[in-house]
Amino acid sequence: MKKNTNIDNFECGYVYHIYTHANGKDLIFREEENYRYFLEKILKYIIPVAEIYAYA
């Protein structure tokens, strides 16, 4: 049986939209710790292999 790891494979040459907002006025990061966790994952998994074109 295949293990469900919930991991997407990114491919070279494509543009991916990673966002940090929810629909409407809902919050994704309810606490500062949640936002820091997200940034740690960006540094670990995205920065070594991709460029960030915009950050607001």
Side-chain angles (χ1 to χ4, degrees):
M1 179 164 54
K2 185 177 178 182
K3 183 179 178 183
N4 183 2
T5 58
N6 197 25
I7 297 174
D8 291 327
N9 294 315
F10 296 103
E11 296 183 28
C12 184
Y14 291 90
V15 175
Y16 296 94
H17 180 193
I18 300 172
Y19 54 92
T20 60
H21 66 275
N23 291 330
K25 295 183 180 183
D26 291 341
L27 298 175
I28 282 186
F29 306 116
R30 299 186 191 282
E31 298 178 22
E32 183 71 23
E33 181 179 326
N34 301 133
Y35 184 63
R36 284 193 207 133
Y37 178 83
F38 173 77
L39 291 179
E40 288 172 7
K41 298 306 174 195
I42 290 286
L43 287 171
K44 182 175 181 178
Y45 295 108
I46 304 299
I47 298 299
V49 297
E51 298 175 19
I52 294 178
Y53 291 108
Y55 180 84

